[in-house]
Amino acid sequence: MNDLLKVSIEAAINAGKKILEVYENEFEVETKTDNSPLTEADKRSHHAIKDALAPLNIDLLSEEGKLLSYEERKNWKKFWLIDPLDGTKEFIKRNGEFTVNIALVENGYPVAGVVHVPVTGKTYYGSAEAGSFAFTYDPNSSASIEDYINNASKLPDAQAPAVYTVVASRSHNTPETESFIEERRKQHGEVESISSGSSIKLCLVAEGKANVYPRLAPTMEWDTAAGHAVAKFAGCNVYNYETGKELEYNKENLLNPWFVVERN
């Protein structure tokens, strides 16, 4: 698992470099069949990750790869689940709140995950064996990936917020989310709300900077698997809003149910 994590961390950081090559210049925006945006950065990141992980001979499902039928993937016991650029809308807005997500899923649940924020270099990773950690990658440093891993901070690296804090989506807030926050306000009194884009929201709960992240709006499996791993192995629950059960992956329909990320 340590070797798989190292390779996936390296892949995420290198994909982030490919994304920044596009981000720092003018770029065109295409529209996919589901009306979501697509840029050259999404494509470059996808190919960089796919090439990096290919020698490991583990099945791979990527948002920007071939959309495989359930028949083709239903018997997968282990596979990579990837979003090469999570938060394309934030990328287009140039607010920096987008990530590279790489998760390793076994028997329907993430067992390892990496979330890398290209603009800041902040890199979160976690596994069932080791727990969750974070470091900030500096492209101008001579430090190796091993150096970063050896000096990473264990999560959570912050005390629980003094005021109960809810993190919400920058681009996809809903009336249901507002109702959720109001319910928590009744329970906890004062409630602070913070916003962010992409899978950074799951990582804010993992870090201890927020108590809960309700996602009462649509997401896909590749949006959440890596952040799910980071949050889970940092001591958080990632559960179906309706059933209370842990979020599952490689379903026939890759659309996630509404879910909540909450620190125990």
Side-chain angles (χ1 to χ4, degrees):
M1 181 60 74
N2 286 338
D3 290 340
L4 292 176
L5 259 180
K6 182 191 166 192
V7 171
S8 55
I9 290 168
E10 212 156 21
I13 289 172
N14 288 333
K17 292 176 182 177
K18 298 293 184 185
I19 289 170
L20 291 179
E21 289 172 3
V22 178
Y23 189 66
E24 290 163 358
N25 295 285
E26 293 300 315
F27 55 84
E28 294 183 359
V29 180
E30 301 173 36
T31 302
K32 296 193 286 188
T33 54
D34 64 357
N35 289 322
S36 63
L38 176 71
T39 70
E40 180 63 24
D42 297 78
K43 299 174 189 176
R44 290 189 190 182
S45 179
H46 164 76
H47 289 295
I49 296 168
K50 185 179 177 183
D51 291 347
L53 300 182
L56 299 171
N57 292 315
I58 297 172
D59 290 310
L60 183 147
L61 182 65
S62 169
E63 179 180 11
E64 307 310 340
K66 179 186 175 187
L67 187 58
L68 301 174
S69 71
Y70 186 58
E71 283 300 312
E72 294 174 274
R73 56 183 171 79
K74 67 179 182 181
N75 294 318
W76 288 359
K77 299 300 181 187
K78 178 192 289 187
F79 70 101
W80 295 109
L81 183 54
I82 295 160
D83 191 339
L85 203 174
D86 181 31
T88 302
K89 289 181 179 178
E90 314 306 330
F91 177 88
I92 294 166
K93 293 175 187 174
R94 296 185 186 272
N95 67 13
E97 294 178 355
F98 51 87
T99 60
V100 177
N101 299 344
I102 302 177
L104 185 64
V105 175
E106 277 192 35
N107 299 315
Y109 299 99
V111 294
V114 180
V115 175
H116 174 63
V117 187
V119 168
T120 65
K122 190 69 178 275
T123 306
Y124 306 87
Y125 66 94
S127 73
E129 294 177 2
S132 291
F133 298 82
F135 62 80
T136 300
Y137 174 76
D138 179 358
N140 299 311
S141 169
S142 60
S144 66
I145 295 300
E146 288 94 339
D147 293 333
Y148 281 109
I149 291 172
N150 290 336
N151 292 289
S153 300
K154 190 165 178 60
L155 300 180
D157 62 3
Q159 297 295 322
V163 176
Y164 190 89
T165 301
V166 179
V167 60
S169 173
R170 176 80 70 197
S171 299
H172 301 279
N173 217 350
T174 63
E176 291 84 358
T177 304
E178 293 301 326
S179 297
F180 181 97
I181 294 171
E182 188 55 39
E183 283 300 315
R184 293 304 168 101
R185 188 170 285 114
K186 291 175 184 176
Q187 295 174 27
H188 299 279
E190 185 181 357
V191 169
E192 181 175 343
S193 295
I194 57 176
S195 296
S196 183
S198 70
S199 57
I200 293 171
K201 297 183 288 297
L202 290 93
C203 296
L204 290 174
V205 183
E207 282 184 288
K209 293 180 179 177
N211 298 87
V212 66
Y213 162 43
R215 180 58 182 222
L216 311 185
T219 55
M220 300 299 290
E221 289 189 5
W222 44 68
D223 295 321
T224 59
H228 181 159
V230 172
K232 178 178 180 178
F233 303 124
C236 304
N237 293 321
V238 183
Y239 59 89
N240 183 313
Y241 176 72
E242 295 291 340
T243 67
K245 294 180 180 179
E246 185 176 0
L247 218 55
E248 295 183 56
Y249 296 85
N250 203 26
K251 305 184 303 300
E252 183 169 1
N253 183 347
L254 294 169
L255 184 69
N256 284 324
W258 288 1
F259 67 89
V260 177
V261 183
E262 190 162 25
R263 177 152 295 285
N264 291 335

